[in-house]
Amino acid sequence: MSARIGVVTFPGTLDDGDAARAVRYADAEAVPLWHADEDLKGVDAVVIPGGFSYGDYLRAGVIARFAPVMSSVIEAAHQGMPVLGICNGFQILCEAGLLPGAMIRNAGLHFICRDQWLRVENNDTAWTTRYDKDAEILIPMKNIDGCFVAEQDTLDELEGEGRVVFRYVGGNPNGSRNDIAGIRSENGRVVGLMPHPEHAIDALTGPSDDGLGIFYSAVDALSSVAR
């Protein structure tokens, strides 16, 4: 039986279709989850994709954090379910308290859309075991509120505990502290990153297929639990 990975859709989500496609590429079943529904439909993991949930009219991710589906996602994450937040999803996970820190407007105040090199700093999470540590991967990024910030104590804790998962290389595109592009929870089951691995799963449609490793890693993690 294949792993069942839920993909959440909020009003304003843009990349749910691409995230579901990436899940299917990794030989898992993509299960659509609706923002107003608390039922996670028995999924084994959850992806919160990118976009502009609720229009980002108040602050990116802050309204989505209170959607009914998030109460179930938060509870499941605390019980160890793998959760991945991509771009707006990363913002939502920070607003929900599942990941520390916050995202503010990019340095330069410009929307950034480009292919970005990342270095894999930690391959010991539910979403990164398919990568070699220090591997460099190329995936797209597209955001305006992508500058990761946190108190110095939190940054020191993230660095000291190896919880920085991805770091920008070849230049910091948005002013993120310590060049941080992605982080993980204490137990390594919840990961958030600003660039979009779901847009780099096939060389025909993306700059590489480097993003596919994230989804295969989750399938591996779920398979190891099933055994």
Side-chain angles (χ1 to χ4, degrees):
M1 181 179 294
S2 62
R4 289 166 48 84
I5 300 180
V7 179
V8 180
T9 299
F10 299 94
T13 296
L14 300 176
D15 298 315
D16 43 349
D18 297 87
R21 179 169 171 261
V23 168
R24 291 192 293 270
Y25 261 54
D27 299 324
E29 179 184 356
V31 180
L33 300 176
W34 184 237
H35 69 107
D37 190 352
E38 293 185 4
D39 185 4
L40 295 186
K41 302 180 181 178
V43 298
D44 306 301
V46 170
V47 176
I48 304 178
F52 301 91
S53 57
Y54 301 93
D56 283 351
Y57 287 122
L58 182 59
R59 187 175 68 233
V62 70
I63 301 176
R65 175 261 177 272
F66 293 102
V69 72
M70 284 305 299
S71 62
S72 299
V73 170
I74 292 169
E75 180 180 355
H78 286 315
Q79 294 174 356
M81 177 180 286
V83 178
L84 175 70
I86 304 169
C87 195
N88 193 228
F90 186 10
Q91 296 160 342
I92 294 168
L93 294 181
C94 291
E95 293 288 347
L98 289 176
L99 292 173
M103 245 65 67
I104 63 173
R105 193 64 40 113
N106 292 336
L109 307 182
H110 293 297
F111 186 93
I112 298 172
C113 182
R114 72 186 210 191
D115 298 332
Q116 176 66 46
W117 285 100
L118 308 176
R119 183 168 57 245
V120 179
E121 298 281 354
N122 187 310
N123 64 349
D124 191 23
T125 82
W127 299 92
T128 55
T129 54
R130 282 287 184 118
Y131 298 107
D132 294 329
K133 188 177 183 307
D134 297 325
E136 294 189 0
I137 62 175
L138 180 65
I139 62 177
M141 66 180 299
K142 47 174 184 156
N143 62 69
I144 190 168
D145 295 305
C147 177
F148 178 79
V149 296
E151 298 289 342
Q152 189 59 51
D153 288 350
T154 300
L155 290 172
D156 291 343
E157 184 175 290
L158 289 172
E159 296 285 359
E161 296 179 358
R163 292 171 56 189
V164 176
V165 179
F166 299 104
R167 208 182 303 270
Y168 297 114
V169 295
N172 184 332
N174 52 24
S176 288
R177 303 297 184 269
N178 296 13
D179 302 333
I180 289 173
I183 58 175
R184 68 165 173 84
S185 60
E186 291 184 9
N187 66 2
R189 307 291 281 180
V190 180
V191 168
L193 77 165
M194 285 310 295
H196 288 259
E198 79 280 19
H199 296 324
I201 61 168
D202 189 323
L204 181 64
T205 56
S208 71
D209 61 358
D210 291 347
L212 196 54
I214 287 183
F215 301 94
Y216 272 128
S217 295
V219 171
D220 290 347
L222 296 171
S223 298
S224 66
V225 171
R227 287 197 297 268

